Amino acid sequence: MIQPRFSNLPPGFRIQRETNTEEFFINMGPQHPSTHGALRLALRMDGETIVELVPHFGYIHRGMEKQAESMSYLQYIALSDRQDYLTAIQNNLGVVIALEKGMNVGVPEKGEYIRVMLQELGRIASHLVFYGCFGGDLGGQTCLLFGFKEREMIHDILEEVTGSRLTTNFFRPGGSRYDVPDTFIPRVKAFLDHLEDAMRDYERFLSKNIIVLERSIGIGVLSKEDAIAYGCSGPVLRASGVEFDVRRANPYSIYDQFDFDIPVFHNGDCYDRYKIRIAEIHESMKILRQCIDKFPKDGPWRSKEKPVRLPVGRYYSEIETAKGLYATYVVAATTGEKPYRIHTRGPSFPHIAALNKMVQGHKVSDLVTIMATLDPVIPEIDR
Amino acid sequence: MGIINFAPKILDPIPGGKYVVNAIDYVVNWARANSIWPLTYGTSCCAIEMMSSSMARYDIARFGSEVFRASPRQADLFILAGTITRRMAPAIQMLWEQIPGPKYAIAMGACTISGGPFIYDNYAVVRGAQNLIPVDVFVPGCPPRPEALFHGLLTLREKILKETCRNPWHEGQPKDVSTMDRYREAAKTWAALEEMKDEEMAEARAKFKEENPDYKSSFKPIRVKKEDFPEVERKPFRRVGLTQLELYQKLHDKFPGITFHTHSEDPIETVLANAPADRPLEVMVEPEDYVAVTEFVKNDPEFKMDFLIDVTAIDYDDHFDLVTQLRSLQIGHKIFLCVQLKKDFSIPEEKRATSLLASVPTVSHLYPAAEFKEREVYDMFGINFEGHPDQRRIFLDKDFVGFPLRKDFTHPEMIRRPV
């Protein structure tokens, strides 16, 4: 009878197994280039194989929800920029839609088009960072340079429209802060034409690269049942074969007026999670082209009233960001400008919770690949 | 610096040796100032701008800093990109100690200078990196543009060029200055200056009026033409799955304890039938029924609530509201189960802030996603989950005192926002 090696496992580790090999523990992070921020992973190893993984959060817990209770609703929009900073513009919309439900204010057609276009630009920007980090984590620094090259063009557009590169703070209940400049549509058109060509290069680099295929096919498989049970959403859920996209399930803004597909892949491994993001960039470009054709030249871009007060009640909104389901839950105990409580459900948190399921039996270098394809943003988890 | 520090001792006695020392300084500084290798470190938004600055458009290689080292032992420069939290602070001090001297630090962004957007009502953020490690250059911005980071880098370069064999690099001390004290001092000075300016302006105006009694201003404000925005109607929302009324009636038939709270005086059926389509049904569940209801809605073929969106809580005076948000991926409807947990006031008042005030059974055996979410609720509110497999603090240190999202939470480092 072989005795379990550890009678007292460190906190979080649960698997009791009998082994005659030397198990040991590795600490990864909080300062590690492959954990995509201040995340700490504790690994229990059997030789080179990962037995169990325990994530430790909170190294960038900034107490946003406590702070929000002493801020006004409009000030909180600025804080939401700092959650998922790769697509700050999408977080803005998530908060604003929740507020609009209570403030009972409509958005004119041009305002909705501005919203959808900026959303899709943000989605492309986030997926380009994913592309770069995925290539970079697999050892190809070229991809990192390429992914950030086209992203700078999106930042130029965002800067022209919102006045800021990264933390946009742009949408308001009833529309947005400013109208778009006249150069907006031509620039987006030029960018799309450029990206069309660039995407061919992108796919040529990674999609059939033998190193990528060897290191990602069959690695980190997340089954359909596990993906649903752990609450995964976005590209991670769709790569596991579940067709769920909030843009299609509960269309917000004017997403019901566009013709686009929801790409679904069925293997649930790292390669599918990579392919689905490339497919989503193409779908976003499709939506943007339709927006350019239908973009209203005249007309108002925001509503007449600019409400700041929210009546008593609980308001809930959900949108599909580049990472997945982003939900905002606002509780107003009194009618006024300040929330009683604001809670955000970020998409990355469940993905890291499911990480333990995916890495068991893989090597540490596979963990780096899996982390890259989950594409987590840690401040959104910790808030 | 090693052997070069001895150069003045050896060379000074030799005639003309001082010129050789100066030449050595020039060459060594030129080499050092043009090859500052930063550490790969970033916690939040500023890290992305730091990455952008090293990419093709901005190209930090022009300044010799393109070699980002993942190990602190190979780095010269510590770019503090992103907010520093109390939990991260020891790691930052350890990283700084691991970097071999001469070493430099750039505080990038508002958070590392003073706390930035997180300065008020915050228990988690360190107000300024200079409290932890000696900082050489501060780069303001939220986040700073890559150009601003380059300006910081060039400023640091100038500082390095001033170092000589006779006056070599030495490690500074962290300045343990409370940022708020500096702010208050600055605010006082500013107010005094404003007052002085007002007095001077009033004097000057009075003097001008005496000298020119007939003066009339020719200034006319330019009126910007206001845009006329018409009223906009709200768009109707497409309903998916069962309606609120159907969901409520089916649940109420099975569990009579389930209620729906409304401020309206109409019967519940009318209120639910007229409810907006985009608002999910939020029902009150008795704590005893909580697990049974969750299990029922998960397995019932008419509900099929297979997806847990979130578990969160709200703190009121005498009770917590635990809200479990469920969704059906196949059908598309949502239901929020709200459990009212009475606070346990039998605990003596001085111990209430640090003890668990309510208890509820866990649902993590039904939804694995609930495990981490319930840990978060435990961490933030101090609600005990009976039967939870791994109930530990998740975001805060294990020796943190109190539960931050309670309304009566206090922390010694928390500063109220001046109104």
mmCIF file with all atom_site columns, all heavy atoms in Angstrom, chain B residues 184-196:
data_model
loop_
_atom_site.group_PDB
_atom_site.id
_atom_site.type_symbol
_atom_site.label_atom_id
_atom_site.label_alt_id
_atom_site.label_comp_id
_atom_site.label_asym_id
_atom_site.label_entity_id
_atom_site.label_seq_id
_atom_site.pdbx_PDB_ins_code
_atom_site.Cartn_x
_atom_site.Cartn_y
_atom_site.Cartn_z
_atom_site.occupancy
_atom_site.B_iso_or_equiv
_atom_site.pdbx_formal_charge
_atom_site.auth_seq_id
_atom_site.auth_comp_id
_atom_site.auth_asym_id
_atom_site.auth_atom_id
_atom_site.pdbx_PDB_model_num
ATOM 1   N N   . ARG B 1 184 ? -2.780 68.247 1.091  1.00 0.00 ? 184 ARG B N   1
ATOM 2   C CA  . ARG B 1 184 ? -3.390 69.280 1.929  1.00 0.00 ? 184 ARG B CA  1
ATOM 3   C C   . ARG B 1 184 ? -2.494 70.519 1.964  1.00 0.00 ? 184 ARG B C   1
ATOM 4   O O   . ARG B 1 184 ? -2.978 71.649 1.892  1.00 0.00 ? 184 ARG B O   1
ATOM 5   C CB  . ARG B 1 184 ? -3.615 68.726 3.336  1.00 0.00 ? 184 ARG B CB  1
ATOM 6   C CG  . ARG B 1 184 ? -4.776 67.769 3.373  1.00 0.00 ? 184 ARG B CG  1
ATOM 7   C CD  . ARG B 1 184 ? -5.249 67.443 4.757  1.00 0.00 ? 184 ARG B CD  1
ATOM 8   N NE  . ARG B 1 184 ? -6.155 66.308 4.686  1.00 0.00 ? 184 ARG B NE  1
ATOM 9   C CZ  . ARG B 1 184 ? -5.839 65.073 5.053  1.00 0.00 ? 184 ARG B CZ  1
ATOM 10  N NH1 . ARG B 1 184 ? -4.659 64.813 5.566  1.00 0.00 ? 184 ARG B NH1 1
ATOM 11  N NH2 . ARG B 1 184 ? -6.706 64.095 4.942  1.00 0.00 ? 184 ARG B NH2 1
ATOM 12  N N   . GLU B 1 185 ? -1.173 70.291 2.069  1.00 0.00 ? 185 GLU B N   1
ATOM 13  C CA  . GLU B 1 185 ? -0.251 71.427 2.073  1.00 0.00 ? 185 GLU B CA  1
ATOM 14  C C   . GLU B 1 185 ? -0.359 72.206 0.772  1.00 0.00 ? 185 GLU B C   1
ATOM 15  O O   . GLU B 1 185 ? -0.446 73.438 0.767  1.00 0.00 ? 185 GLU B O   1
ATOM 16  C CB  . GLU B 1 185 ? 1.186  70.917 2.241  1.00 0.00 ? 185 GLU B CB  1
ATOM 17  C CG  . GLU B 1 185 ? 1.737  71.146 3.624  1.00 0.00 ? 185 GLU B CG  1
ATOM 18  C CD  . GLU B 1 185 ? 3.089  70.480 3.756  1.00 0.00 ? 185 GLU B CD  1
ATOM 19  O OE1 . GLU B 1 185 ? 3.923  70.678 2.867  1.00 0.00 ? 185 GLU B OE1 1
ATOM 20  O OE2 . GLU B 1 185 ? 3.281  69.750 4.751  1.00 0.00 ? 185 GLU B OE2 1
ATOM 21  N N   . ALA B 1 186 ? -0.371 71.440 -0.340 1.00 0.00 ? 186 ALA B N   1
ATOM 22  C CA  . ALA B 1 186 ? -0.457 72.094 -1.642 1.00 0.00 ? 186 ALA B CA  1
ATOM 23  C C   . ALA B 1 186 ? -1.761 72.864 -1.770 1.00 0.00 ? 186 ALA B C   1
ATOM 24  O O   . ALA B 1 186 ? -1.787 73.986 -2.290 1.00 0.00 ? 186 ALA B O   1
ATOM 25  C CB  . ALA B 1 186 ? -0.347 71.043 -2.740 1.00 0.00 ? 186 ALA B CB  1
ATOM 26  N N   . ALA B 1 187 ? -2.854 72.256 -1.270 1.00 0.00 ? 187 ALA B N   1
ATOM 27  C CA  . ALA B 1 187 ? -4.159 72.925 -1.358 1.00 0.00 ? 187 ALA B CA  1
ATOM 28  C C   . ALA B 1 187 ? -4.155 74.219 -0.562 1.00 0.00 ? 187 ALA B C   1
ATOM 29  O O   . ALA B 1 187 ? -4.696 75.245 -0.992 1.00 0.00 ? 187 ALA B O   1
ATOM 30  C CB  . ALA B 1 187 ? -5.251 71.986 -0.856 1.00 0.00 ? 187 ALA B CB  1
ATOM 31  N N   . LYS B 1 188 ? -3.489 74.183 0.631  1.00 0.00 ? 188 LYS B N   1
ATOM 32  C CA  . LYS B 1 188 ? -3.417 75.392 1.471  1.00 0.00 ? 188 LYS B CA  1
ATOM 33  C C   . LYS B 1 188 ? -2.644 76.490 0.742  1.00 0.00 ? 188 LYS B C   1
ATOM 34  O O   . LYS B 1 188 ? -3.091 77.642 0.675  1.00 0.00 ? 188 LYS B O   1
ATOM 35  C CB  . LYS B 1 188 ? -2.713 75.056 2.790  1.00 0.00 ? 188 LYS B CB  1
ATOM 36  C CG  . LYS B 1 188 ? -3.662 74.843 3.954  1.00 0.00 ? 188 LYS B CG  1
ATOM 37  C CD  . LYS B 1 188 ? -2.842 74.615 5.202  1.00 0.00 ? 188 LYS B CD  1
ATOM 38  C CE  . LYS B 1 188 ? -3.595 73.742 6.185  1.00 0.00 ? 188 LYS B CE  1
ATOM 39  N NZ  . LYS B 1 188 ? -2.735 73.261 7.261  1.00 0.00 ? 188 LYS B NZ  1
ATOM 40  N N   . THR B 1 189 ? -1.482 76.107 0.210  1.00 0.00 ? 189 THR B N   1
ATOM 41  C CA  . THR B 1 189 ? -0.665 77.088 -0.497 1.00 0.00 ? 189 THR B CA  1
ATOM 42  C C   . THR B 1 189 ? -1.442 77.676 -1.671 1.00 0.00 ? 189 THR B C   1
ATOM 43  O O   . THR B 1 189 ? -1.418 78.883 -1.921 1.00 0.00 ? 189 THR B O   1
ATOM 44  C CB  . THR B 1 189 ? 0.613  76.413 -1.040 1.00 0.00 ? 189 THR B CB  1
ATOM 45  O OG1 . THR B 1 189 ? 1.013  75.423 -0.117 1.00 0.00 ? 189 THR B OG1 1
ATOM 46  C CG2 . THR B 1 189 ? 1.707  77.409 -1.270 1.00 0.00 ? 189 THR B CG2 1
ATOM 47  N N   . TRP B 1 190 ? -2.130 76.808 -2.365 1.00 0.00 ? 190 TRP B N   1
ATOM 48  C CA  . TRP B 1 190 ? -2.887 77.228 -3.539 1.00 0.00 ? 190 TRP B CA  1
ATOM 49  C C   . TRP B 1 190 ? -3.982 78.221 -3.140 1.00 0.00 ? 190 TRP B C   1
ATOM 50  O O   . TRP B 1 190 ? -4.167 79.256 -3.773 1.00 0.00 ? 190 TRP B O   1
ATOM 51  C CB  . TRP B 1 190 ? -3.487 75.997 -4.208 1.00 0.00 ? 190 TRP B CB  1
ATOM 52  C CG  . TRP B 1 190 ? -4.080 76.275 -5.542 1.00 0.00 ? 190 TRP B CG  1
ATOM 53  C CD1 . TRP B 1 190 ? -5.397 76.433 -5.829 1.00 0.00 ? 190 TRP B CD1 1
ATOM 54  C CD2 . TRP B 1 190 ? -3.388 76.450 -6.771 1.00 0.00 ? 190 TRP B CD2 1
ATOM 55  N NE1 . TRP B 1 190 ? -5.573 76.680 -7.154 1.00 0.00 ? 190 TRP B NE1 1
ATOM 56  C CE2 . TRP B 1 190 ? -4.350 76.697 -7.760 1.00 0.00 ? 190 TRP B CE2 1
ATOM 57  C CE3 . TRP B 1 190 ? -2.040 76.421 -7.127 1.00 0.00 ? 190 TRP B CE3 1
ATOM 58  C CZ2 . TRP B 1 190 ? -4.017 76.912 -9.083 1.00 0.00 ? 190 TRP B CZ2 1
ATOM 59  C CZ3 . TRP B 1 190 ? -1.712 76.631 -8.456 1.00 0.00 ? 190 TRP B CZ3 1
ATOM 60  C CH2 . TRP B 1 190 ? -2.685 76.869 -9.411 1.00 0.00 ? 190 TRP B CH2 1
ATOM 61  N N   . ALA B 1 191 ? -4.694 77.870 -2.051 1.00 0.00 ? 191 ALA B N   1
ATOM 62  C CA  . ALA B 1 191 ? -5.781 78.740 -1.603 1.00 0.00 ? 191 ALA B CA  1
ATOM 63  C C   . ALA B 1 191 ? -5.236 80.108 -1.215 1.00 0.00 ? 191 ALA B C   1
ATOM 64  O O   . ALA B 1 191 ? -5.835 81.148 -1.521 1.00 0.00 ? 191 ALA B O   1
ATOM 65  C CB  . ALA B 1 191 ? -6.512 78.091 -0.429 1.00 0.00 ? 191 ALA B CB  1
ATOM 66  N N   . ALA B 1 192 ? -4.063 80.125 -0.531 1.00 0.00 ? 192 ALA B N   1
ATOM 67  C CA  . ALA B 1 192 ? -3.466 81.400 -0.124 1.00 0.00 ? 192 ALA B CA  1
ATOM 68  C C   . ALA B 1 192 ? -3.113 82.230 -1.348 1.00 0.00 ? 192 ALA B C   1
ATOM 69  O O   . ALA B 1 192 ? -3.360 83.446 -1.398 1.00 0.00 ? 192 ALA B O   1
ATOM 70  C CB  . ALA B 1 192 ? -2.223 81.132 0.717  1.00 0.00 ? 192 ALA B CB  1
ATOM 71  N N   . LEU B 1 193 ? -2.544 81.559 -2.371 1.00 0.00 ? 193 LEU B N   1
ATOM 72  C CA  . LEU B 1 193 ? -2.180 82.267 -3.598 1.00 0.00 ? 193 LEU B CA  1
ATOM 73  C C   . LEU B 1 193 ? -3.408 82.842 -4.292 1.00 0.00 ? 193 LEU B C   1
ATOM 74  O O   . LEU B 1 193 ? -3.401 83.980 -4.771 1.00 0.00 ? 193 LEU B O   1
ATOM 75  C CB  . LEU B 1 193 ? -1.452 81.308 -4.545 1.00 0.00 ? 193 LEU B CB  1
ATOM 76  C CG  . LEU B 1 193 ? 0.008  81.005 -4.201 1.00 0.00 ? 193 LEU B CG  1
ATOM 77  C CD1 . LEU B 1 193 ? 0.516  79.892 -5.083 1.00 0.00 ? 193 LEU B CD1 1
ATOM 78  C CD2 . LEU B 1 193 ? 0.866  82.250 -4.375 1.00 0.00 ? 193 LEU B CD2 1
ATOM 79  N N   . GLU B 1 194 ? -4.481 82.040 -4.321 1.00 0.00 ? 194 GLU B N   1
ATOM 80  C CA  . GLU B 1 194 ? -5.722 82.491 -4.965 1.00 0.00 ? 194 GLU B CA  1
ATOM 81  C C   . GLU B 1 194 ? -6.268 83.732 -4.264 1.00 0.00 ? 194 GLU B C   1
ATOM 82  O O   . GLU B 1 194 ? -6.692 84.689 -4.903 1.00 0.00 ? 194 GLU B O   1
ATOM 83  C CB  . GLU B 1 194 ? -6.769 81.369 -4.912 1.00 0.00 ? 194 GLU B CB  1
ATOM 84  C CG  . GLU B 1 194 ? -6.526 80.251 -5.890 1.00 0.00 ? 194 GLU B CG  1
ATOM 85  C CD  . GLU B 1 194 ? -6.875 80.644 -7.313 1.00 0.00 ? 194 GLU B CD  1
ATOM 86  O OE1 . GLU B 1 194 ? -8.001 81.113 -7.523 1.00 0.00 ? 194 GLU B OE1 1
ATOM 87  O OE2 . GLU B 1 194 ? -6.009 80.510 -8.193 1.00 0.00 ? 194 GLU B OE2 1
ATOM 88  N N   . GLU B 1 195 ? -6.221 83.687 -2.928 1.00 0.00 ? 195 GLU B N   1
ATOM 89  C CA  . GLU B 1 195 ? -6.722 84.806 -2.146 1.00 0.00 ? 195 GLU B CA  1
ATOM 90  C C   . GLU B 1 195 ? -5.924 86.079 -2.456 1.00 0.00 ? 195 GLU B C   1
ATOM 91  O O   . GLU B 1 195 ? -6.474 87.155 -2.672 1.00 0.00 ? 195 GLU B O   1
ATOM 92  C CB  . GLU B 1 195 ? -6.589 84.453 -0.663 1.00 0.00 ? 195 GLU B CB  1
ATOM 93  C CG  . GLU B 1 195 ? -7.649 85.095 0.202  1.00 0.00 ? 195 GLU B CG  1
ATOM 94  C CD  . GLU B 1 195 ? -7.592 84.526 1.607  1.00 0.00 ? 195 GLU B CD  1
ATOM 95  O OE1 . GLU B 1 195 ? -7.947 83.334 1.783  1.00 0.00 ? 195 GLU B OE1 1
ATOM 96  O OE2 . GLU B 1 195 ? -7.164 85.263 2.494  1.00 0.00 ? 195 GLU B OE2 1
ATOM 97  N N   . MET B 1 196 ? -4.573 85.868 -2.496 1.00 0.00 ? 196 MET B N   1
ATOM 98  C CA  . MET B 1 196 ? -3.701 87.003 -2.780 1.00 0.00 ? 196 MET B CA  1
ATOM 99  C C   . MET B 1 196 ? -4.022 87.575 -4.158 1.00 0.00 ? 196 MET B C   1
ATOM 100 O O   . MET B 1 196 ? -4.109 88.795 -4.340 1.00 0.00 ? 196 MET B O   1
ATOM 101 C CB  . MET B 1 196 ? -2.244 86.515 -2.759 1.00 0.00 ? 196 MET B CB  1
ATOM 102 C CG  . MET B 1 196 ? -1.258 87.508 -2.222 1.00 0.00 ? 196 MET B CG  1
ATOM 103 S SD  . MET B 1 196 ? 0.284  86.668 -1.914 1.00 0.00 ? 196 MET B SD  1
ATOM 104 C CE  . MET B 1 196 ? 1.047  86.722 -3.506 1.00 0.00 ? 196 MET B CE  1
#
